[in-house]
mmCIF file of all heavy atoms in Angstrom:
data_model
loop_
_atom_site.group_PDB
_atom_site.id
_atom_site.type_symbol
_atom_site.label_atom_id
_atom_site.label_comp_id
_atom_site.label_asym_id
_atom_site.label_seq_id
_atom_site.Cartn_x
_atom_site.Cartn_y
_atom_site.Cartn_z
ATOM 1 N N GLU A 387 -25.228 16.751 24.736
ATOM 2 C CA GLU A 387 -26.544 16.069 24.929
ATOM 3 C C GLU A 387 -27.009 15.541 23.658
ATOM 4 O O GLU A 387 -27.614 14.343 23.755
ATOM 5 C CB GLU A 387 -27.616 17.125 25.393
ATOM 6 C CG GLU A 387 -27.295 17.717 26.751
ATOM 7 C CD GLU A 387 -27.305 16.722 27.879
ATOM 8 O OE1 GLU A 387 -28.297 15.821 27.735
ATOM 9 O OE2 GLU A 387 -26.517 16.734 28.810
ATOM 10 N N ASN A 388 -26.810 15.977 22.513
ATOM 11 C CA ASN A 388 -27.294 15.547 21.219
ATOM 12 C C ASN A 388 -26.464 15.943 20.127
ATOM 13 O O ASN A 388 -25.401 16.647 20.249
ATOM 14 C CB ASN A 388 -28.773 16.008 21.067
ATOM 15 C CG ASN A 388 -28.835 17.472 21.073
ATOM 16 O OD1 ASN A 388 -27.959 18.318 20.585
ATOM 17 N ND2 ASN A 388 -29.771 18.065 21.991
ATOM 18 N N ASP A 389 -26.821 15.376 18.902
ATOM 19 C CA ASP A 389 -25.916 15.561 17.631
ATOM 20 C C ASP A 389 -25.812 16.987 17.352
ATOM 21 O O ASP A 389 -24.643 17.501 17.018
ATOM 22 C CB ASP A 389 -26.531 14.734 16.578
ATOM 23 C CG ASP A 389 -26.423 13.217 16.659
ATOM 24 O OD1 ASP A 389 -26.059 12.853 17.784
ATOM 25 O OD2 ASP A 389 -26.764 12.626 15.803
ATOM 26 N N GLU A 390 -26.925 17.767 17.509
ATOM 27 C CA GLU A 390 -26.855 19.240 17.229
ATOM 28 C C GLU A 390 -25.816 19.914 18.092
ATOM 29 O O GLU A 390 -25.027 20.836 17.561
ATOM 30 C CB GLU A 390 -28.228 19.841 17.340
ATOM 31 C CG GLU A 390 -29.190 19.368 16.308
ATOM 32 C CD GLU A 390 -29.686 17.901 16.487
ATOM 33 O OE1 GLU A 390 -29.602 17.391 17.567
ATOM 34 O OE2 GLU A 390 -30.121 17.314 15.466
ATOM 35 N N GLU A 391 -25.838 19.663 19.313
ATOM 36 C CA GLU A 391 -24.847 20.274 20.221
ATOM 37 C C GLU A 391 -23.414 19.830 19.910
ATOM 38 O O GLU A 391 -22.396 20.672 19.927
ATOM 39 C CB GLU A 391 -25.107 20.057 21.728
ATOM 40 C CG GLU A 391 -24.271 20.733 22.664
ATOM 41 C CD GLU A 391 -24.487 20.533 24.205
ATOM 42 O OE1 GLU A 391 -25.320 19.544 24.448
ATOM 43 O OE2 GLU A 391 -23.946 21.148 25.055
ATOM 44 N N ALA A 392 -23.214 18.623 19.487
ATOM 45 C CA ALA A 392 -21.868 18.072 19.272
ATOM 46 C C ALA A 392 -21.299 18.803 17.916
ATOM 47 O O ALA A 392 -20.251 19.246 17.860
ATOM 48 C CB ALA A 392 -21.945 16.498 18.966
ATOM 49 N N ILE A 393 -22.201 18.966 16.895
ATOM 50 C CA ILE A 393 -21.803 19.738 15.743
ATOM 51 C C ILE A 393 -21.419 21.210 16.030
ATOM 52 O O ILE A 393 -20.501 21.744 15.624
ATOM 53 C CB ILE A 393 -22.892 19.595 14.675
ATOM 54 C CG1 ILE A 393 -23.078 18.174 14.246
ATOM 55 C CG2 ILE A 393 -22.640 20.593 13.531
ATOM 56 C CD1 ILE A 393 -24.352 17.784 13.505
ATOM 57 N N GLN A 394 -22.354 21.775 16.883
ATOM 58 C CA GLN A 394 -22.192 23.174 17.228
ATOM 59 C C GLN A 394 -20.794 23.380 17.907
ATOM 60 O O GLN A 394 -19.957 24.311 17.663
ATOM 61 C CB GLN A 394 -23.265 23.726 18.156
ATOM 62 C CG GLN A 394 -23.278 25.153 18.358
ATOM 63 C CD GLN A 394 -22.298 25.576 19.642
ATOM 64 O OE1 GLN A 394 -22.257 24.911 20.558
ATOM 65 N NE2 GLN A 394 -21.705 26.840 19.332
ATOM 66 N N LEU A 395 -20.498 22.539 18.857
ATOM 67 C CA LEU A 395 -19.219 22.619 19.662
ATOM 68 C C LEU A 395 -18.002 22.342 18.763
ATOM 69 O O LEU A 395 -17.011 22.971 18.763
ATOM 70 C CB LEU A 395 -19.130 21.644 20.770
ATOM 71 C CG LEU A 395 -20.078 21.913 22.020
ATOM 72 C CD1 LEU A 395 -20.228 20.717 22.984
ATOM 73 C CD2 LEU A 395 -19.568 23.113 22.754
ATOM 74 N N ALA A 396 -18.210 21.338 17.930
ATOM 75 C CA ALA A 396 -17.133 20.939 17.015
ATOM 76 C C ALA A 396 -16.712 22.152 16.030
ATOM 77 O O ALA A 396 -15.579 22.482 15.838
ATOM 78 C CB ALA A 396 -17.514 19.757 16.149
ATOM 79 N N ASN A 397 -17.759 22.877 15.649
ATOM 80 C CA ASN A 397 -17.588 23.966 14.642
ATOM 81 C C ASN A 397 -17.286 25.343 15.354
ATOM 82 O O ASN A 397 -16.934 26.340 14.621
ATOM 83 C CB ASN A 397 -18.851 24.117 13.802
ATOM 84 C CG ASN A 397 -18.890 22.968 12.681
ATOM 85 O OD1 ASN A 397 -17.937 22.379 12.476
ATOM 86 N ND2 ASN A 397 -20.229 22.812 12.202
ATOM 87 N N ASP A 398 -17.372 25.293 16.578
ATOM 88 C CA ASP A 398 -17.151 26.562 17.367
ATOM 89 C C ASP A 398 -15.602 26.767 17.580
ATOM 90 O O ASP A 398 -15.030 26.704 18.681
ATOM 91 C CB ASP A 398 -17.863 26.438 18.793
ATOM 92 C CG ASP A 398 -17.608 27.788 19.523
ATOM 93 O OD1 ASP A 398 -17.577 28.864 18.984
ATOM 94 O OD2 ASP A 398 -17.610 27.654 20.737
ATOM 95 N N SER A 399 -14.890 26.967 16.484
ATOM 96 C CA SER A 399 -13.538 27.173 16.470
ATOM 97 C C SER A 399 -13.213 27.974 15.205
ATOM 98 O O SER A 399 -13.654 27.755 14.152
ATOM 99 C CB SER A 399 -12.765 25.817 16.487
ATOM 100 O OG SER A 399 -11.387 25.982 16.068
ATOM 101 N N PRO A 400 -11.970 28.785 15.368
ATOM 102 C CA PRO A 400 -11.626 29.434 14.085
ATOM 103 C C PRO A 400 -10.907 28.512 13.068
ATOM 104 O O PRO A 400 -10.812 28.870 11.934
ATOM 105 C CB PRO A 400 -10.615 30.488 14.665
ATOM 106 C CG PRO A 400 -10.141 30.046 15.997
ATOM 107 C CD PRO A 400 -11.343 29.221 16.487
ATOM 108 N N TYR A 401 -10.601 27.190 13.709
ATOM 109 C CA TYR A 401 -9.913 26.313 12.837
ATOM 110 C C TYR A 401 -10.843 25.268 12.202
ATOM 111 O O TYR A 401 -11.952 25.124 12.658
ATOM 112 C CB TYR A 401 -8.911 25.595 13.756
ATOM 113 C CG TYR A 401 -7.859 26.536 14.347
ATOM 114 C CD1 TYR A 401 -7.981 26.851 15.800
ATOM 115 C CD2 TYR A 401 -6.779 27.105 13.688
ATOM 116 C CE1 TYR A 401 -7.106 27.792 16.341
ATOM 117 C CE2 TYR A 401 -5.843 27.924 14.313
ATOM 118 C CZ TYR A 401 -6.042 28.205 15.558
ATOM 119 O OH TYR A 401 -5.190 29.044 16.158
ATOM 120 N N GLY A 402 -10.271 24.646 11.225
ATOM 121 C CA GLY A 402 -11.113 23.559 10.520
ATOM 122 C C GLY A 402 -10.206 22.581 9.705
ATOM 123 O O GLY A 402 -10.505 22.268 8.642
ATOM 124 N N LEU A 403 -9.218 22.007 10.485
ATOM 125 C CA LEU A 403 -8.312 21.108 9.806
ATOM 126 C C LEU A 403 -8.774 19.778 9.672
ATOM 127 O O LEU A 403 -9.008 19.276 8.601
ATOM 128 C CB LEU A 403 -7.003 21.113 10.520
ATOM 129 C CG LEU A 403 -5.840 20.400 9.781
ATOM 130 C CD1 LEU A 403 -5.620 21.071 8.318
ATOM 131 C CD2 LEU A 403 -4.573 20.649 10.491
ATOM 132 N N GLY A 404 -9.275 19.234 10.923
ATOM 133 C CA GLY A 404 -9.762 17.801 10.713
ATOM 134 C C GLY A 404 -10.729 17.520 11.881
ATOM 135 O O GLY A 404 -11.026 18.276 12.736
ATOM 136 N N ALA A 405 -11.194 16.293 11.932
ATOM 137 C CA ALA A 405 -12.206 15.880 12.955
ATOM 138 C C ALA A 405 -12.200 14.234 12.914
ATOM 139 O O ALA A 405 -11.909 13.627 11.926
ATOM 140 C CB ALA A 405 -13.497 16.379 12.799
ATOM 141 N N VAL A 406 -12.558 13.699 14.095
ATOM 142 C CA VAL A 406 -12.749 12.220 14.147
ATOM 143 C C VAL A 406 -14.237 11.962 14.744
ATOM 144 O O VAL A 406 -14.492 12.716 15.754
ATOM 145 C CB VAL A 406 -11.767 11.532 14.991
ATOM 146 C CG1 VAL A 406 -11.821 9.996 15.037
ATOM 147 C CG2 VAL A 406 -10.323 12.017 14.559
ATOM 148 N N ILE A 407 -14.880 11.088 14.202
ATOM 149 C CA ILE A 407 -16.228 10.696 14.742
ATOM 150 C C ILE A 407 -16.211 9.184 15.012
ATOM 151 O O ILE A 407 -15.782 8.335 14.140
ATOM 152 C CB ILE A 407 -17.382 10.983 13.663
ATOM 153 C CG1 ILE A 407 -17.356 12.393 13.271
ATOM 154 C CG2 ILE A 407 -18.690 10.636 14.235
ATOM 155 C CD1 ILE A 407 -18.128 12.823 12.100
ATOM 156 N N PHE A 408 -16.606 8.790 16.333
ATOM 157 C CA PHE A 408 -16.651 7.509 16.687
ATOM 158 C C PHE A 408 -18.346 7.155 16.838
ATOM 159 O O PHE A 408 -18.874 7.711 17.623
ATOM 160 C CB PHE A 408 -15.990 7.270 17.968
ATOM 161 C CG PHE A 408 -14.473 7.419 17.961
ATOM 162 C CD1 PHE A 408 -13.933 8.553 18.376
ATOM 163 C CD2 PHE A 408 -13.752 6.396 17.256
ATOM 164 C CE1 PHE A 408 -12.585 8.681 18.286
ATOM 165 C CE2 PHE A 408 -12.377 6.586 17.168
ATOM 166 C CZ PHE A 408 -11.787 7.751 17.619
ATOM 167 N N SER A 409 -18.727 6.153 15.993
ATOM 168 C CA SER A 409 -20.165 5.822 16.130
ATOM 169 C C SER A 409 -20.273 4.422 15.573
ATOM 170 O O SER A 409 -19.713 4.116 14.456
ATOM 171 C CB SER A 409 -20.962 6.896 15.277
ATOM 172 O OG SER A 409 -22.339 6.415 15.226
ATOM 173 N N LYS A 410 -21.310 3.749 16.185
ATOM 174 C CA LYS A 410 -21.679 2.305 15.540
ATOM 175 C C LYS A 410 -22.654 2.560 14.453
ATOM 176 O O LYS A 410 -22.898 1.641 13.624
ATOM 177 C CB LYS A 410 -22.238 1.574 16.718
ATOM 178 C CG LYS A 410 -21.292 1.095 17.648
ATOM 179 C CD LYS A 410 -21.945 0.212 18.821
ATOM 180 C CE LYS A 410 -20.803 -0.171 19.783
ATOM 181 N NZ LYS A 410 -21.403 -1.014 20.941
ATOM 182 N N ASP A 411 -23.169 3.760 14.327
ATOM 183 C CA ASP A 411 -24.219 4.149 13.264
ATOM 184 C C ASP A 411 -23.543 4.827 12.260
ATOM 185 O O ASP A 411 -23.356 6.127 12.357
ATOM 186 C CB ASP A 411 -25.304 4.847 13.895
ATOM 187 C CG ASP A 411 -26.543 5.128 12.838
ATOM 188 O OD1 ASP A 411 -26.240 5.078 11.690
ATOM 189 O OD2 ASP A 411 -27.640 5.485 13.317
ATOM 190 N N ILE A 412 -23.171 4.083 11.145
ATOM 191 C CA ILE A 412 -22.276 4.754 10.065
ATOM 192 C C ILE A 412 -23.038 5.842 9.414
ATOM 193 O O ILE A 412 -22.426 7.023 9.077
ATOM 194 C CB ILE A 412 -21.729 3.667 9.106
ATOM 195 C CG1 ILE A 412 -20.585 4.409 8.174
ATOM 196 C CG2 ILE A 412 -22.769 3.046 8.326
ATOM 197 C CD1 ILE A 412 -19.390 4.789 8.944
#
Side-chain angles (χ1 to χ4, degrees):
E387 295 293 323
N388 52 49
D389 293 3
E390 289 71 24
E391 185 181 9
I393 293 165
Q394 189 276 324
L395 288 169
N397 288 337
D398 185 33
S399 169
Y401 302 101
L403 190 53
V406 186
I407 304 168
F408 296 102
S409 175
K410 293 180 179 178
D411 185 340
I412 190 68

